[in-house]
């Protein structure tokens, strides 16, 4: 009820902005506006995450699944602006309304990364004990450059201290960092030129 009561008004208010963003994405390379990618949520259930496209079409065709690089050449000009402001994630409100995401929770990851990180950090799969979120503690306390291990610590802190008050605090902090410089930097520890379009 809380997710819907917040996500629906936000979606209505953001639709004009999303239309402008969609046109900007299309005008740059005439490619698709949205980017869909399978992610995992509560209990390991897969769903298709809806994102406004920030990278060239088929960005991972040659590299396979890897995280975004800080100076990834496959990020479009419009995409850099969207990533800096995190406006590319506005379309994920559709996922919240469909019940696939919550407003707050661990950010959804691909099965590939659950397998990869799960070998190094078996507790990584504990993130699937709650519904994935549009934003989370890892997003308001860390950056894209924060290591998966450190983000896992934030996620576990959230899972074990969950409350509606904590959700509200995270939501307010999320709005506060939308235009904060550096909040959406790429992961420079990853291979150069490789990316996940999120």
């Amino acid at each position: 009820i809380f997710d819907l009561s917040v996500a629906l008004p936000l979606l209505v208010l953001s639709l004009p902005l999303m239309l402008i963003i969609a046109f900007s994405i299309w005008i740059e390379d005439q490619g698709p506006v949205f980017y869909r990618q399978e992610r995992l949520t509560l209990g390991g259930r897969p769903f298709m995450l809806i994102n406004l496209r920030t990278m060239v079409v088929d960005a991972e065709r040659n590299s396979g699944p890897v995280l975004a690089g800080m100076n990834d050449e496959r990020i479009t000009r419009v995409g850099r602006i969207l990533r800096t402001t995190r406006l590319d994630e506005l379309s994920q409100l559709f996922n919240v309304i469909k019940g696939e995401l919550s407003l707050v929770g661990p950010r959804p990851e691909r099965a590939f990364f659950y397998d990869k990180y799960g070998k190094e950090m078996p507790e990584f799969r504990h993130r699937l004990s709650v519904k994935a979120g549009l934003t989370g503690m890892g997003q308001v306390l860390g950056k894209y450059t924060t290591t998966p291990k450190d983000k896992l610590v934030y996620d576990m802190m959230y899972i074990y201290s969950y409350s509606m008050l904590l959700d509200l605090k995270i939501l307010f902090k999320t709005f506060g960092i939308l235009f904060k410089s550096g909040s959406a930097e790429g992961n420079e520890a990853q291979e150069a030129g490789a990316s996940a379009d999120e």
Side-chain angles (χ1 to χ4, degrees):
I1 293 173
F2 175 73
D3 285 343
L4 286 175
S5 64
V6 175
L8 280 170
L10 277 178
L11 180 61
V12 172
L13 290 172
S14 63
L15 277 176
L17 177 58
M18 276 201 275
L19 287 173
I20 295 172
I21 292 171
F23 180 73
S24 301
I25 293 170
W26 181 84
I27 204 71
E28 183 169 358
D29 61 9
Q30 286 75 57
V33 170
F34 295 105
Y35 179 84
R36 293 173 176 82
Q37 190 177 74
E38 187 176 276
R39 301 292 178 98
L40 302 183
T41 187
L42 177 64
R45 182 169 62 87
F47 73 100
M48 297 304 292
L49 187 76
I50 305 169
N51 229 51
L52 288 159
R53 183 170 62 86
T54 63
M55 304 192 118
V56 296
V57 178
D58 293 329
E60 292 187 333
R61 178 186 296 173
N62 298 320
S63 64
V66 279
L67 299 180
M70 184 174 291
N71 297 307
D72 199 315
E73 294 181 354
R74 289 178 286 183
I75 300 175
T76 64
R77 286 175 297 177
V78 173
R80 291 192 185 282
I81 298 171
L82 296 179
R83 281 174 175 256
T84 299
T85 57
R86 300 198 177 189
L87 291 174
D88 58 313
E89 298 177 3
L90 274 177
S91 54
Q92 293 173 25
L93 288 169
F94 289 110
N95 292 117
V96 176
I97 291 169
K98 290 170 66 178
E100 297 163 334
L101 282 182
S102 182
L103 285 171
V104 181
R107 286 294 293 151
E109 270 297 353
R110 286 182 272 182
F112 174 89
F113 289 111
Y114 271 104
D115 292 339
K116 177 181 178 180
Y117 297 140
K119 294 175 182 177
E120 307 163 10
M121 303 173 284
E123 61 273 23
F124 196 78
R125 294 195 70 87
H126 290 329
R127 299 169 82 254
L128 298 173
S129 62
V130 296
K131 188 181 289 187
L134 177 62
T135 186
M137 191 173 284
Q139 278 60 53
V140 299
L141 297 181
K143 301 178 180 179
Y144 281 154
T145 50
T146 303
T147 65
K149 184 175 182 180
D150 287 338
K151 282 192 175 181
L152 175 61
V153 172
Y154 292 138
D155 290 333
M156 298 306 289
M157 287 169 57
Y158 171 78
I159 291 169
Y160 286 108
S161 59
Y162 165 78
S163 70
M164 287 295 295
L165 180 59
L166 179 59
D167 274 11
L168 288 171
K169 287 181 179 179
I170 291 173
L171 284 174
F172 281 119
K173 282 183 177 291
T174 298
F175 289 120
I177 66 171
L178 281 178
F179 297 96
K180 183 179 178 182
S181 176
S183 65
E185 293 172 345
N187 191 333
E188 61 184 341
Q190 300 299 321
E191 295 85 353
S195 168
D197 199 315
E198 181 187 334

mmCIF file with all atom_site columns, all heavy atoms in Angstrom, residues 83-96:
data_model
loop_
_atom_site.group_PDB
_atom_site.id
_atom_site.type_symbol
_atom_site.label_atom_id
_atom_site.label_alt_id
_atom_site.label_comp_id
_atom_site.label_asym_id
_atom_site.label_entity_id
_atom_site.label_seq_id
_atom_site.pdbx_PDB_ins_code
_atom_site.Cartn_x
_atom_site.Cartn_y
_atom_site.Cartn_z
_atom_site.occupancy
_atom_site.B_iso_or_equiv
_atom_site.pdbx_formal_charge
_atom_site.auth_seq_id
_atom_site.auth_comp_id
_atom_site.auth_asym_id
_atom_site.auth_atom_id
_atom_site.pdbx_PDB_model_num
ATOM 1   N N   . ARG A 1 83 ? 22.636 9.347  -15.841 1.00 0.00 ? 83 ARG A N   1
ATOM 2   C CA  . ARG A 1 83 ? 23.314 8.613  -14.775 1.00 0.00 ? 83 ARG A CA  1
ATOM 3   C C   . ARG A 1 83 ? 23.740 9.542  -13.646 1.00 0.00 ? 83 ARG A C   1
ATOM 4   O O   . ARG A 1 83 ? 23.652 9.181  -12.481 1.00 0.00 ? 83 ARG A O   1
ATOM 5   C CB  . ARG A 1 83 ? 24.535 7.873  -15.334 1.00 0.00 ? 83 ARG A CB  1
ATOM 6   C CG  . ARG A 1 83 ? 24.181 6.589  -16.064 1.00 0.00 ? 83 ARG A CG  1
ATOM 7   C CD  . ARG A 1 83 ? 25.398 5.980  -16.721 1.00 0.00 ? 83 ARG A CD  1
ATOM 8   N NE  . ARG A 1 83 ? 25.067 4.690  -17.308 1.00 0.00 ? 83 ARG A NE  1
ATOM 9   C CZ  . ARG A 1 83 ? 25.404 3.515  -16.771 1.00 0.00 ? 83 ARG A CZ  1
ATOM 10  N NH1 . ARG A 1 83 ? 26.069 3.470  -15.649 1.00 0.00 ? 83 ARG A NH1 1
ATOM 11  N NH2 . ARG A 1 83 ? 25.059 2.389  -17.373 1.00 0.00 ? 83 ARG A NH2 1
ATOM 12  N N   . THR A 1 84 ? 24.221 10.727 -13.988 1.00 0.00 ? 84 THR A N   1
ATOM 13  C CA  . THR A 1 84 ? 24.650 11.680 -12.977 1.00 0.00 ? 84 THR A CA  1
ATOM 14  C C   . THR A 1 84 ? 23.498 12.080 -12.068 1.00 0.00 ? 84 THR A C   1
ATOM 15  O O   . THR A 1 84 ? 23.653 12.227 -10.855 1.00 0.00 ? 84 THR A O   1
ATOM 16  C CB  . THR A 1 84 ? 25.246 12.938 -13.637 1.00 0.00 ? 84 THR A CB  1
ATOM 17  O OG1 . THR A 1 84 ? 26.386 12.548 -14.421 1.00 0.00 ? 84 THR A OG1 1
ATOM 18  C CG2 . THR A 1 84 ? 25.683 13.953 -12.590 1.00 0.00 ? 84 THR A CG2 1
ATOM 19  N N   . THR A 1 85 ? 22.321 12.243 -12.662 1.00 0.00 ? 85 THR A N   1
ATOM 20  C CA  . THR A 1 85 ? 21.142 12.663 -11.900 1.00 0.00 ? 85 THR A CA  1
ATOM 21  C C   . THR A 1 85 ? 20.276 11.490 -11.457 1.00 0.00 ? 85 THR A C   1
ATOM 22  O O   . THR A 1 85 ? 19.310 11.670 -10.724 1.00 0.00 ? 85 THR A O   1
ATOM 23  C CB  . THR A 1 85 ? 20.271 13.605 -12.751 1.00 0.00 ? 85 THR A CB  1
ATOM 24  O OG1 . THR A 1 85 ? 19.917 12.929 -13.970 1.00 0.00 ? 85 THR A OG1 1
ATOM 25  C CG2 . THR A 1 85 ? 21.036 14.872 -13.091 1.00 0.00 ? 85 THR A CG2 1
ATOM 26  N N   . ARG A 1 86 ? 20.612 10.292 -11.946 1.00 0.00 ? 86 ARG A N   1
ATOM 27  C CA  . ARG A 1 86 ? 19.848 9.066  -11.679 1.00 0.00 ? 86 ARG A CA  1
ATOM 28  C C   . ARG A 1 86 ? 18.433 9.107  -12.243 1.00 0.00 ? 86 ARG A C   1
ATOM 29  O O   . ARG A 1 86 ? 17.555 8.348  -11.822 1.00 0.00 ? 86 ARG A O   1
ATOM 30  C CB  . ARG A 1 86 ? 19.813 8.757  -10.173 1.00 0.00 ? 86 ARG A CB  1
ATOM 31  C CG  . ARG A 1 86 ? 21.202 8.547  -9.592  1.00 0.00 ? 86 ARG A CG  1
ATOM 32  C CD  . ARG A 1 86 ? 21.174 7.833  -8.263  1.00 0.00 ? 86 ARG A CD  1
ATOM 33  N NE  . ARG A 1 86 ? 22.531 7.591  -7.794  1.00 0.00 ? 86 ARG A NE  1
ATOM 34  C CZ  . ARG A 1 86 ? 22.834 6.831  -6.741  1.00 0.00 ? 86 ARG A CZ  1
ATOM 35  N NH1 . ARG A 1 86 ? 21.864 6.248  -6.076  1.00 0.00 ? 86 ARG A NH1 1
ATOM 36  N NH2 . ARG A 1 86 ? 24.077 6.657  -6.375  1.00 0.00 ? 86 ARG A NH2 1
ATOM 37  N N   . LEU A 1 87 ? 18.207 9.993  -13.191 1.00 0.00 ? 87 LEU A N   1
ATOM 38  C CA  . LEU A 1 87 ? 16.878 10.075 -13.807 1.00 0.00 ? 87 LEU A CA  1
ATOM 39  C C   . LEU A 1 87 ? 16.577 8.868  -14.682 1.00 0.00 ? 87 LEU A C   1
ATOM 40  O O   . LEU A 1 87 ? 15.416 8.622  -15.016 1.00 0.00 ? 87 LEU A O   1
ATOM 41  C CB  . LEU A 1 87 ? 16.763 11.369 -14.626 1.00 0.00 ? 87 LEU A CB  1
ATOM 42  C CG  . LEU A 1 87 ? 16.731 12.664 -13.818 1.00 0.00 ? 87 LEU A CG  1
ATOM 43  C CD1 . LEU A 1 87 ? 16.756 13.866 -14.754 1.00 0.00 ? 87 LEU A CD1 1
ATOM 44  C CD2 . LEU A 1 87 ? 15.491 12.710 -12.930 1.00 0.00 ? 87 LEU A CD2 1
ATOM 45  N N   . ASP A 1 88 ? 17.608 8.101  -15.042 1.00 0.00 ? 88 ASP A N   1
ATOM 46  C CA  . ASP A 1 88 ? 17.381 6.901  -15.846 1.00 0.00 ? 88 ASP A CA  1
ATOM 47  C C   . ASP A 1 88 ? 16.574 5.855  -15.088 1.00 0.00 ? 88 ASP A C   1
ATOM 48  O O   . ASP A 1 88 ? 16.014 4.940  -15.685 1.00 0.00 ? 88 ASP A O   1
ATOM 49  C CB  . ASP A 1 88 ? 18.709 6.294  -16.315 1.00 0.00 ? 88 ASP A CB  1
ATOM 50  C CG  . ASP A 1 88 ? 19.634 5.937  -15.160 1.00 0.00 ? 88 ASP A CG  1
ATOM 51  O OD1 . ASP A 1 88 ? 19.811 6.777  -14.250 1.00 0.00 ? 88 ASP A OD1 1
ATOM 52  O OD2 . ASP A 1 88 ? 20.186 4.824  -15.177 1.00 0.00 ? 88 ASP A OD2 1
ATOM 53  N N   . GLU A 1 89 ? 16.482 6.003  -13.771 1.00 0.00 ? 89 GLU A N   1
ATOM 54  C CA  . GLU A 1 89 ? 15.772 5.026  -12.954 1.00 0.00 ? 89 GLU A CA  1
ATOM 55  C C   . GLU A 1 89 ? 14.303 5.387  -12.729 1.00 0.00 ? 89 GLU A C   1
ATOM 56  O O   . GLU A 1 89 ? 13.572 4.625  -12.093 1.00 0.00 ? 89 GLU A O   1
ATOM 57  C CB  . GLU A 1 89 ? 16.498 4.852  -11.613 1.00 0.00 ? 89 GLU A CB  1
ATOM 58  C CG  . GLU A 1 89 ? 17.924 4.315  -11.780 1.00 0.00 ? 89 GLU A CG  1
ATOM 59  C CD  . GLU A 1 89 ? 18.685 4.205  -10.480 1.00 0.00 ? 89 GLU A CD  1
ATOM 60  O OE1 . GLU A 1 89 ? 18.082 4.496  -9.422  1.00 0.00 ? 89 GLU A OE1 1
ATOM 61  O OE2 . GLU A 1 89 ? 19.863 3.837  -10.503 1.00 0.00 ? 89 GLU A OE2 1
ATOM 62  N N   . LEU A 1 90 ? 13.868 6.522  -13.253 1.00 0.00 ? 90 LEU A N   1
ATOM 63  C CA  . LEU A 1 90 ? 12.468 6.925  -13.086 1.00 0.00 ? 90 LEU A CA  1
ATOM 64  C C   . LEU A 1 90 ? 11.509 5.866  -13.606 1.00 0.00 ? 90 LEU A C   1
ATOM 65  O O   . LEU A 1 90 ? 10.452 5.624  -13.011 1.00 0.00 ? 90 LEU A O   1
ATOM 66  C CB  . LEU A 1 90 ? 12.203 8.246  -13.823 1.00 0.00 ? 90 LEU A CB  1
ATOM 67  C CG  . LEU A 1 90 ? 12.505 9.548  -13.087 1.00 0.00 ? 90 LEU A CG  1
ATOM 68  C CD1 . LEU A 1 90 ? 12.250 10.723 -14.007 1.00 0.00 ? 90 LEU A CD1 1
ATOM 69  C CD2 . LEU A 1 90 ? 11.681 9.654  -11.806 1.00 0.00 ? 90 LEU A CD2 1
ATOM 70  N N   . SER A 1 91 ? 11.870 5.232  -14.716 1.00 0.00 ? 91 SER A N   1
ATOM 71  C CA  . SER A 1 91 ? 10.985 4.236  -15.326 1.00 0.00 ? 91 SER A CA  1
ATOM 72  C C   . SER A 1 91 ? 10.791 3.010  -14.446 1.00 0.00 ? 91 SER A C   1
ATOM 73  O O   . SER A 1 91 ? 9.867  2.222  -14.661 1.00 0.00 ? 91 SER A O   1
ATOM 74  C CB  . SER A 1 91 ? 11.527 3.814  -16.695 1.00 0.00 ? 91 SER A CB  1
ATOM 75  O OG  . SER A 1 91 ? 12.877 3.382  -16.585 1.00 0.00 ? 91 SER A OG  1
ATOM 76  N N   . GLN A 1 92 ? 11.647 2.834  -13.446 1.00 0.00 ? 92 GLN A N   1
ATOM 77  C CA  . GLN A 1 92 ? 11.490 1.697  -12.539 1.00 0.00 ? 92 GLN A CA  1
ATOM 78  C C   . GLN A 1 92 ? 10.276 1.850  -11.628 1.00 0.00 ? 92 GLN A C   1
ATOM 79  O O   . GLN A 1 92 ? 9.893  0.908  -10.929 1.00 0.00 ? 92 GLN A O   1
ATOM 80  C CB  . GLN A 1 92 ? 12.768 1.504  -11.723 1.00 0.00 ? 92 GLN A CB  1
ATOM 81  C CG  . GLN A 1 92 ? 13.949 1.067  -12.578 1.00 0.00 ? 92 GLN A CG  1
ATOM 82  C CD  . GLN A 1 92 ? 15.261 1.037  -11.828 1.00 0.00 ? 92 GLN A CD  1
ATOM 83  O OE1 . GLN A 1 92 ? 15.288 0.885  -10.604 1.00 0.00 ? 92 GLN A OE1 1
ATOM 84  N NE2 . GLN A 1 92 ? 16.362 1.201  -12.542 1.00 0.00 ? 92 GLN A NE2 1
ATOM 85  N N   . LEU A 1 93 ? 9.658  3.024  -11.655 1.00 0.00 ? 93 LEU A N   1
ATOM 86  C CA  . LEU A 1 93 ? 8.388  3.190  -10.940 1.00 0.00 ? 93 LEU A CA  1
ATOM 87  C C   . LEU A 1 93 ? 7.336  2.238  -11.502 1.00 0.00 ? 93 LEU A C   1
ATOM 88  O O   . LEU A 1 93 ? 6.448  1.786  -10.773 1.00 0.00 ? 93 LEU A O   1
ATOM 89  C CB  . LEU A 1 93 ? 7.899  4.642  -11.051 1.00 0.00 ? 93 LEU A CB  1
ATOM 90  C CG  . LEU A 1 93 ? 8.678  5.679  -10.241 1.00 0.00 ? 93 LEU A CG  1
ATOM 91  C CD1 . LEU A 1 93 ? 8.277  7.093  -10.652 1.00 0.00 ? 93 LEU A CD1 1
ATOM 92  C CD2 . LEU A 1 93 ? 8.458  5.467  -8.744  1.00 0.00 ? 93 LEU A CD2 1
ATOM 93  N N   . PHE A 1 94 ? 7.442  1.902  -12.795 1.00 0.00 ? 94 PHE A N   1
ATOM 94  C CA  . PHE A 1 94 ? 6.535  0.915  -13.378 1.00 0.00 ? 94 PHE A CA  1
ATOM 95  C C   . PHE A 1 94 ? 6.727  -0.439 -12.700 1.00 0.00 ? 94 PHE A C   1
ATOM 96  O O   . PHE A 1 94 ? 5.757  -1.164 -12.445 1.00 0.00 ? 94 PHE A O   1
ATOM 97  C CB  . PHE A 1 94 ? 6.776  0.769  -14.886 1.00 0.00 ? 94 PHE A CB  1
ATOM 98  C CG  . PHE A 1 94 ? 6.338  1.951  -15.695 1.00 0.00 ? 94 PHE A CG  1
ATOM 99  C CD1 . PHE A 1 94 ? 7.265  2.780  -16.310 1.00 0.00 ? 94 PHE A CD1 1
ATOM 100 C CD2 . PHE A 1 94 ? 4.990  2.263  -15.844 1.00 0.00 ? 94 PHE A CD2 1
ATOM 101 C CE1 . PHE A 1 94 ? 6.869  3.877  -17.064 1.00 0.00 ? 94 PHE A CE1 1
ATOM 102 C CE2 . PHE A 1 94 ? 4.565  3.355  -16.595 1.00 0.00 ? 94 PHE A CE2 1
ATOM 103 C CZ  . PHE A 1 94 ? 5.522  4.163  -17.200 1.00 0.00 ? 94 PHE A CZ  1
ATOM 104 N N   . ASN A 1 95 ? 7.979  -0.798 -12.395 1.00 0.00 ? 95 ASN A N   1
ATOM 105 C CA  . ASN A 1 95 ? 8.263  -2.055 -11.700 1.00 0.00 ? 95 ASN A CA  1
ATOM 106 C C   . ASN A 1 95 ? 7.680  -2.048 -10.290 1.00 0.00 ? 95 ASN A C   1
ATOM 107 O O   . ASN A 1 95 ? 7.201  -3.077 -9.795  1.00 0.00 ? 95 ASN A O   1
ATOM 108 C CB  . ASN A 1 95 ? 9.768  -2.308 -11.619 1.00 0.00 ? 95 ASN A CB  1
ATOM 109 C CG  . ASN A 1 95 ? 10.403 -2.601 -12.961 1.00 0.00 ? 95 ASN A CG  1
ATOM 110 O OD1 . ASN A 1 95 ? 11.260 -1.846 -13.431 1.00 0.00 ? 95 ASN A OD1 1
ATOM 111 N ND2 . ASN A 1 95 ? 10.014 -3.697 -13.597 1.00 0.00 ? 95 ASN A ND2 1
ATOM 112 N N   . VAL A 1 96 ? 7.720  -0.880 -9.639  1.00 0.00 ? 96 VAL A N   1
ATOM 113 C CA  . VAL A 1 96 ? 7.142  -0.774 -8.288  1.00 0.00 ? 96 VAL A CA  1
ATOM 114 C C   . VAL A 1 96 ? 5.638  -0.981 -8.348  1.00 0.00 ? 96 VAL A C   1
ATOM 115 O O   . VAL A 1 96 ? 5.058  -1.731 -7.555  1.00 0.00 ? 96 VAL A O   1
ATOM 116 C CB  . VAL A 1 96 ? 7.478  0.604  -7.666  1.00 0.00 ? 96 VAL A CB  1
ATOM 117 C CG1 . VAL A 1 96 ? 6.785  0.738  -6.304  1.00 0.00 ? 96 VAL A CG1 1
ATOM 118 C CG2 . VAL A 1 96 ? 8.985  0.769  -7.505  1.00 0.00 ? 96 VAL A CG2 1
#
